Amino acid sequence: MTIFEELDRELLPGFERLMLPGLSGDMLTLVGGSGPPLLLLHGDPQTHLCWHSIAPKLAEQYTVVLADLRGRGESHKPERTSDHRHYSKRLMATEQVRIMERLGFDVFRVVGHDRGARVARRMALDYPDKVERLAVMDIVPVLDFYERATSAVAQDYFYFFFLTQPFPVPDRLIAGDPRAFMGDILTSLTKPGFNYHPGALEAYLAASTTEESINSICECFRAGISSDVEDDKASRSAGRRITCPTLVFWGELGVVGRYFDMQRIWSDWAAPVSFAPMPCGHFIPEEEPELTATHLIRFLQ
């Protein structure tokens, strides 16, 4: 049994592990609970385990689906391409919609953090008939992010610019000490005094520091500044907005909370929209699990 399987058994009891076919490879997907379907999508440099303090509680009322995004965890990791489209949030959203359909869910609620929130947001824009309710955590839509970024933002969120550099620059530099690089992201963006579950932290580091995983994360950021920006520009020009009820979380102690007017930005993209500033940093599901669960249960109903 791998470390990942052991931790799933310990932290997500009752969830079934499945390997389901995605668009170009298998996707690790966990399913637990009963009730209306709810998809939870993790961020970087993490896996589905980021929901370990919340998912069991949500599973009391919902059929909870946890997925490792493509390029992460135990899911398939497509090779890089010149246009980086294998890691566009549009393609990643489509892949998750197909997974939900394979599980028998044509309409569902979706919650995403970080990268997962970007996938969930694109899903709500591209598949409005699929997403009943949307909750996103600690992101600014990518077009707004790059349009509004300042030198201070670039300093505090340096990897939004470092990871977008052409192959092999960031890939090789990270490979020199991958655990230090990924560990810094995981620990430098949290509130003071926060500690991860030690097993979960080790799983994040083990999953994100292989050569394939490093390349996947870089490709995902390269897609962010290229194809994802292009898709956002097209959506904005077409006047497309998220029409399902939307809840926006952010960490008041984090970069997003310090530098961006979240209510103004998100009100341009979604209606109806509500807001939940949280007393923490970036990694909301683990820094404030009880408060997060309370907000989600109230909103999702």
Side-chain angles (χ1 to χ4, degrees), residues 277-299:
M278 303 289 282
C280 62
H282 175 63
F283 292 95
I284 293 170
E286 286 162 292
E287 293 182 63
E288 289 288 343
E290 292 185 8
L291 183 57
T292 302
T294 297
H295 280 296
L296 284 176
I297 289 169
R298 183 184 303 124
F299 169 72

PDB file of all heavy atoms in Angstrom, residues 277-299:
ATOM      1  N   PRO A 277     -14.723  36.521   3.355  1.00  0.00           N
ATOM      2  CA  PRO A 277     -13.334  36.730   3.776  1.00  0.00           C
ATOM      3  C   PRO A 277     -13.028  35.892   5.006  1.00  0.00           C
ATOM      4  O   PRO A 277     -13.848  35.799   5.922  1.00  0.00           O
ATOM      5  CB  PRO A 277     -13.277  38.228   4.071  1.00  0.00           C
ATOM      6  CG  PRO A 277     -14.685  38.638   4.319  1.00  0.00           C
ATOM      7  CD  PRO A 277     -15.541  37.738   3.499  1.00  0.00           C
ATOM      8  N   MET A 278     -11.859  35.275   5.019  1.00  0.00           N
ATOM      9  CA  MET A 278     -11.519  34.320   6.073  1.00  0.00           C
ATOM     10  C   MET A 278     -10.291  34.791   6.854  1.00  0.00           C
ATOM     11  O   MET A 278      -9.358  35.379   6.281  1.00  0.00           O
ATOM     12  CB  MET A 278     -11.233  32.949   5.454  1.00  0.00           C
ATOM     13  CG  MET A 278     -12.383  32.387   4.623  1.00  0.00           C
ATOM     14  SD  MET A 278     -13.774  31.866   5.626  1.00  0.00           S
ATOM     15  CE  MET A 278     -13.140  30.295   6.206  1.00  0.00           C
ATOM     16  N   PRO A 279     -10.223  34.519   8.156  1.00  0.00           N
ATOM     17  CA  PRO A 279      -9.112  34.979   8.989  1.00  0.00           C
ATOM     18  C   PRO A 279      -7.890  34.068   8.877  1.00  0.00           C
ATOM     19  O   PRO A 279      -7.444  33.449   9.847  1.00  0.00           O
ATOM     20  CB  PRO A 279      -9.714  34.934  10.395  1.00  0.00           C
ATOM     21  CG  PRO A 279     -10.676  33.789  10.346  1.00  0.00           C
ATOM     22  CD  PRO A 279     -11.272  33.839   8.949  1.00  0.00           C
ATOM     23  N   CYS A 280      -7.339  33.983   7.663  1.00  0.00           N
ATOM     24  CA  CYS A 280      -6.226  33.051   7.436  1.00  0.00           C
ATOM     25  C   CYS A 280      -5.450  33.484   6.205  1.00  0.00           C
ATOM     26  O   CYS A 280      -5.695  34.544   5.634  1.00  0.00           O
ATOM     27  CB  CYS A 280      -6.760  31.630   7.270  1.00  0.00           C
ATOM     28  SG  CYS A 280      -7.862  31.397   5.854  1.00  0.00           S
ATOM     29  N   GLY A 281      -4.519  32.623   5.803  1.00  0.00           N
ATOM     30  CA  GLY A 281      -3.760  32.859   4.598  1.00  0.00           C
ATOM     31  C   GLY A 281      -4.400  32.178   3.393  1.00  0.00           C
ATOM     32  O   GLY A 281      -5.624  32.112   3.283  1.00  0.00           O
ATOM     33  N   HIS A 282      -3.549  31.628   2.530  1.00  0.00           N
ATOM     34  CA  HIS A 282      -4.011  31.103   1.244  1.00  0.00           C
ATOM     35  C   HIS A 282      -4.687  29.743   1.345  1.00  0.00           C
ATOM     36  O   HIS A 282      -5.648  29.474   0.619  1.00  0.00           O
ATOM     37  CB  HIS A 282      -2.816  31.002   0.292  1.00  0.00           C
ATOM     38  CG  HIS A 282      -3.135  30.372  -1.020  1.00  0.00           C
ATOM     39  ND1 HIS A 282      -4.025  30.913  -1.919  1.00  0.00           N
ATOM     40  CD2 HIS A 282      -2.689  29.213  -1.592  1.00  0.00           C
ATOM     41  CE1 HIS A 282      -4.105  30.142  -3.001  1.00  0.00           C
ATOM     42  NE2 HIS A 282      -3.311  29.104  -2.817  1.00  0.00           N
ATOM     43  N   PHE A 283      -4.220  28.865   2.227  1.00  0.00           N
ATOM     44  CA  PHE A 283      -4.668  27.471   2.215  1.00  0.00           C
ATOM     45  C   PHE A 283      -5.892  27.297   3.122  1.00  0.00           C
ATOM     46  O   PHE A 283      -5.861  26.629   4.157  1.00  0.00           O
ATOM     47  CB  PHE A 283      -3.518  26.545   2.603  1.00  0.00           C
ATOM     48  CG  PHE A 283      -2.441  26.511   1.557  1.00  0.00           C
ATOM     49  CD1 PHE A 283      -1.327  27.340   1.654  1.00  0.00           C
ATOM     50  CD2 PHE A 283      -2.560  25.694   0.444  1.00  0.00           C
ATOM     51  CE1 PHE A 283      -0.341  27.333   0.674  1.00  0.00           C
ATOM     52  CE2 PHE A 283      -1.580  25.679  -0.544  1.00  0.00           C
ATOM     53  CZ  PHE A 283      -0.462  26.503  -0.424  1.00  0.00           C
ATOM     54  N   ILE A 284      -6.978  27.899   2.686  1.00  0.00           N
ATOM     55  CA  ILE A 284      -8.200  28.040   3.474  1.00  0.00           C
ATOM     56  C   ILE A 284      -8.775  26.707   3.971  1.00  0.00           C
ATOM     57  O   ILE A 284      -9.145  26.597   5.146  1.00  0.00           O
ATOM     58  CB  ILE A 284      -9.242  28.824   2.658  1.00  0.00           C
ATOM     59  CG1 ILE A 284      -8.762  30.265   2.453  1.00  0.00           C
ATOM     60  CG2 ILE A 284     -10.614  28.803   3.319  1.00  0.00           C
ATOM     61  CD1 ILE A 284      -9.601  31.070   1.464  1.00  0.00           C
ATOM     62  N   PRO A 285      -8.889  25.663   3.127  1.00  0.00           N
ATOM     63  CA  PRO A 285      -9.531  24.431   3.605  1.00  0.00           C
ATOM     64  C   PRO A 285      -8.832  23.786   4.792  1.00  0.00           C
ATOM     65  O   PRO A 285      -9.476  23.082   5.577  1.00  0.00           O
ATOM     66  CB  PRO A 285      -9.489  23.515   2.371  1.00  0.00           C
ATOM     67  CG  PRO A 285      -9.391  24.442   1.217  1.00  0.00           C
ATOM     68  CD  PRO A 285      -8.549  25.582   1.695  1.00  0.00           C
ATOM     69  N   GLU A 286      -7.535  24.011   4.922  1.00  0.00           N
ATOM     70  CA  GLU A 286      -6.810  23.406   6.039  1.00  0.00           C
ATOM     71  C   GLU A 286      -6.542  24.396   7.171  1.00  0.00           C
ATOM     72  O   GLU A 286      -6.440  23.998   8.330  1.00  0.00           O
ATOM     73  CB  GLU A 286      -5.498  22.801   5.529  1.00  0.00           C
ATOM     74  CG  GLU A 286      -5.724  21.527   4.744  1.00  0.00           C
ATOM     75  CD  GLU A 286      -4.537  21.144   3.885  1.00  0.00           C
ATOM     76  OE1 GLU A 286      -4.259  21.871   2.906  1.00  0.00           O
ATOM     77  OE2 GLU A 286      -3.903  20.125   4.195  1.00  0.00           O
ATOM     78  N   GLU A 287      -6.407  25.665   6.863  1.00  0.00           N
ATOM     79  CA  GLU A 287      -6.176  26.656   7.913  1.00  0.00           C
ATOM     80  C   GLU A 287      -7.437  26.928   8.731  1.00  0.00           C
ATOM     81  O   GLU A 287      -7.359  27.169   9.939  1.00  0.00           O
ATOM     82  CB  GLU A 287      -5.678  27.963   7.298  1.00  0.00           C
ATOM     83  CG  GLU A 287      -4.289  27.875   6.668  1.00  0.00           C
ATOM     84  CD  GLU A 287      -3.842  29.219   6.135  1.00  0.00           C
ATOM     85  OE1 GLU A 287      -3.693  30.160   6.942  1.00  0.00           O
ATOM     86  OE2 GLU A 287      -3.662  29.349   4.904  1.00  0.00           O
ATOM     87  N   GLU A 288      -8.592  26.927   8.076  1.00  0.00           N
ATOM     88  CA  GLU A 288      -9.852  27.220   8.757  1.00  0.00           C
ATOM     89  C   GLU A 288     -10.940  26.217   8.341  1.00  0.00           C
ATOM     90  O   GLU A 288     -11.966  26.575   7.762  1.00  0.00           O
ATOM     91  CB  GLU A 288     -10.318  28.642   8.428  1.00  0.00           C
ATOM     92  CG  GLU A 288      -9.482  29.735   9.059  1.00  0.00           C
ATOM     93  CD  GLU A 288      -9.699  29.843  10.567  1.00  0.00           C
ATOM     94  OE1 GLU A 288     -10.706  29.314  11.064  1.00  0.00           O
ATOM     95  OE2 GLU A 288      -8.850  30.468  11.230  1.00  0.00           O
ATOM     96  N   PRO A 289     -10.733  24.931   8.641  1.00  0.00           N
ATOM     97  CA  PRO A 289     -11.676  23.918   8.140  1.00  0.00           C
ATOM     98  C   PRO A 289     -13.081  24.041   8.706  1.00  0.00           C
ATOM     99  O   PRO A 289     -14.061  23.863   7.970  1.00  0.00           O
ATOM    100  CB  PRO A 289     -11.014  22.599   8.539  1.00  0.00           C
ATOM    101  CG  PRO A 289     -10.104  22.942   9.670  1.00  0.00           C
ATOM    102  CD  PRO A 289      -9.610  24.326   9.365  1.00  0.00           C
ATOM    103  N   GLU A 290     -13.215  24.321   9.986  1.00  0.00           N
ATOM    104  CA  GLU A 290     -14.553  24.379  10.579  1.00  0.00           C
ATOM    105  C   GLU A 290     -15.350  25.563  10.039  1.00  0.00           C
ATOM    106  O   GLU A 290     -16.527  25.430   9.675  1.00  0.00           O
ATOM    107  CB  GLU A 290     -14.449  24.451  12.104  1.00  0.00           C
ATOM    108  CG  GLU A 290     -13.914  23.182  12.735  1.00  0.00           C
ATOM    109  CD  GLU A 290     -13.934  23.242  14.247  1.00  0.00           C
ATOM    110  OE1 GLU A 290     -14.495  24.210  14.799  1.00  0.00           O
ATOM    111  OE2 GLU A 290     -13.377  22.320  14.884  1.00  0.00           O
ATOM    112  N   LEU A 291     -14.723  26.732   9.976  1.00  0.00           N
ATOM    113  CA  LEU A 291     -15.410  27.912   9.453  1.00  0.00           C
ATOM    114  C   LEU A 291     -15.720  27.735   7.972  1.00  0.00           C
ATOM    115  O   LEU A 291     -16.804  28.121   7.502  1.00  0.00           O
ATOM    116  CB  LEU A 291     -14.557  29.157   9.683  1.00  0.00           C
ATOM    117  CG  LEU A 291     -15.168  30.498   9.264  1.00  0.00           C
ATOM    118  CD1 LEU A 291     -16.498  30.737   9.959  1.00  0.00           C
ATOM    119  CD2 LEU A 291     -14.184  31.630   9.547  1.00  0.00           C
ATOM    120  N   THR A 292     -14.795  27.141   7.242  1.00  0.00           N
ATOM    121  CA  THR A 292     -15.016  26.887   5.814  1.00  0.00           C
ATOM    122  C   THR A 292     -16.206  25.954   5.612  1.00  0.00           C
ATOM    123  O   THR A 292     -17.079  26.200   4.773  1.00  0.00           O
ATOM    124  CB  THR A 292     -13.760  26.275   5.172  1.00  0.00           C
ATOM    125  OG1 THR A 292     -12.656  27.156   5.357  1.00  0.00           O
ATOM    126  CG2 THR A 292     -13.970  26.047   3.679  1.00  0.00           C
ATOM    127  N   ALA A 293     -16.247  24.885   6.390  1.00  0.00           N
ATOM    128  CA  ALA A 293     -17.347  23.928   6.278  1.00  0.00           C
ATOM    129  C   ALA A 293     -18.680  24.588   6.610  1.00  0.00           C
ATOM    130  O   ALA A 293     -19.696  24.344   5.946  1.00  0.00           O
ATOM    131  CB  ALA A 293     -17.100  22.732   7.190  1.00  0.00           C
ATOM    132  N   THR A 294     -18.696  25.439   7.613  1.00  0.00           N
ATOM    133  CA  THR A 294     -19.925  26.140   7.988  1.00  0.00           C
ATOM    134  C   THR A 294     -20.444  27.004   6.844  1.00  0.00           C
ATOM    135  O   THR A 294     -21.630  26.983   6.501  1.00  0.00           O
ATOM    136  CB  THR A 294     -19.689  27.008   9.233  1.00  0.00           C
ATOM    137  OG1 THR A 294     -19.334  26.167  10.337  1.00  0.00           O
ATOM    138  CG2 THR A 294     -20.938  27.795   9.591  1.00  0.00           C
ATOM    139  N   HIS A 295     -19.539  27.775   6.239  1.00  0.00           N
ATOM    140  CA  HIS A 295     -19.922  28.610   5.096  1.00  0.00           C
ATOM    141  C   HIS A 295     -20.426  27.753   3.936  1.00  0.00           C
ATOM    142  O   HIS A 295     -21.433  28.078   3.293  1.00  0.00           O
ATOM    143  CB  HIS A 295     -18.732  29.453   4.635  1.00  0.00           C
ATOM    144  CG  HIS A 295     -18.492  30.679   5.447  1.00  0.00           C
ATOM    145  ND1 HIS A 295     -19.391  31.723   5.513  1.00  0.00           N
ATOM    146  CD2 HIS A 295     -17.437  31.047   6.220  1.00  0.00           C
ATOM    147  CE1 HIS A 295     -18.899  32.677   6.291  1.00  0.00           C
ATOM    148  NE2 HIS A 295     -17.715  32.291   6.738  1.00  0.00           N
ATOM    149  N   LEU A 296     -19.717  26.667   3.651  1.00  0.00           N
ATOM    150  CA  LEU A 296     -20.092  25.830   2.512  1.00  0.00           C
ATOM    151  C   LEU A 296     -21.442  25.163   2.718  1.00  0.00           C
ATOM    152  O   LEU A 296     -22.280  25.133   1.793  1.00  0.00           O
ATOM    153  CB  LEU A 296     -19.017  24.770   2.260  1.00  0.00           C
ATOM    154  CG  LEU A 296     -17.732  25.248   1.589  1.00  0.00           C
ATOM    155  CD1 LEU A 296     -16.720  24.118   1.497  1.00  0.00           C
ATOM    156  CD2 LEU A 296     -18.014  25.817   0.202  1.00  0.00           C
ATOM    157  N   ILE A 297     -21.673  24.610   3.888  1.00  0.00           N
ATOM    158  CA  ILE A 297     -22.937  23.928   4.145  1.00  0.00           C
ATOM    159  C   ILE A 297     -24.100  24.902   3.989  1.00  0.00           C
ATOM    160  O   ILE A 297     -25.128  24.586   3.369  1.00  0.00           O
ATOM    161  CB  ILE A 297     -22.912  23.279   5.538  1.00  0.00           C
ATOM    162  CG1 ILE A 297     -21.957  22.089   5.539  1.00  0.00           C
ATOM    163  CG2 ILE A 297     -24.321  22.842   5.941  1.00  0.00           C
ATOM    164  CD1 ILE A 297     -21.662  21.534   6.913  1.00  0.00           C
ATOM    165  N   ARG A 298     -23.930  26.103   4.515  1.00  0.00           N
ATOM    166  CA  ARG A 298     -24.999  27.110   4.405  1.00  0.00           C
ATOM    167  C   ARG A 298     -25.230  27.491   2.934  1.00  0.00           C
ATOM    168  O   ARG A 298     -26.355  27.591   2.469  1.00  0.00           O
ATOM    169  CB  ARG A 298     -24.628  28.341   5.218  1.00  0.00           C
ATOM    170  CG  ARG A 298     -25.702  29.430   5.234  1.00  0.00           C
ATOM    171  CD  ARG A 298     -25.240  30.659   5.974  1.00  0.00           C
ATOM    172  NE  ARG A 298     -24.832  30.332   7.347  1.00  0.00           N
ATOM    173  CZ  ARG A 298     -23.638  30.604   7.840  1.00  0.00           C
ATOM    174  NH1 ARG A 298     -22.718  31.180   7.099  1.00  0.00           N
ATOM    175  NH2 ARG A 298     -23.345  30.297   9.097  1.00  0.00           N
ATOM    176  N   PHE A 299     -24.141  27.679   2.201  1.00  0.00           N
ATOM    177  CA  PHE A 299     -24.245  28.118   0.814  1.00  0.00           C
ATOM    178  C   PHE A 299     -24.757  27.023  -0.115  1.00  0.00           C
ATOM    179  O   PHE A 299     -25.621  27.250  -0.964  1.00  0.00           O
ATOM    180  CB  PHE A 299     -22.884  28.607   0.315  1.00  0.00           C
ATOM    181  CG  PHE A 299     -22.810  28.846  -1.164  1.00  0.00           C
ATOM    182  CD1 PHE A 299     -23.452  29.928  -1.733  1.00  0.00           C
ATOM    183  CD2 PHE A 299     -22.111  27.982  -1.990  1.00  0.00           C
ATOM    184  CE1 PHE A 299     -23.405  30.157  -3.104  1.00  0.00           C
ATOM    185  CE2 PHE A 299     -22.056  28.200  -3.360  1.00  0.00           C
ATOM    186  CZ  PHE A 299     -22.697  29.290  -3.921  1.00  0.00           C
TER     187      PHE A 299
END
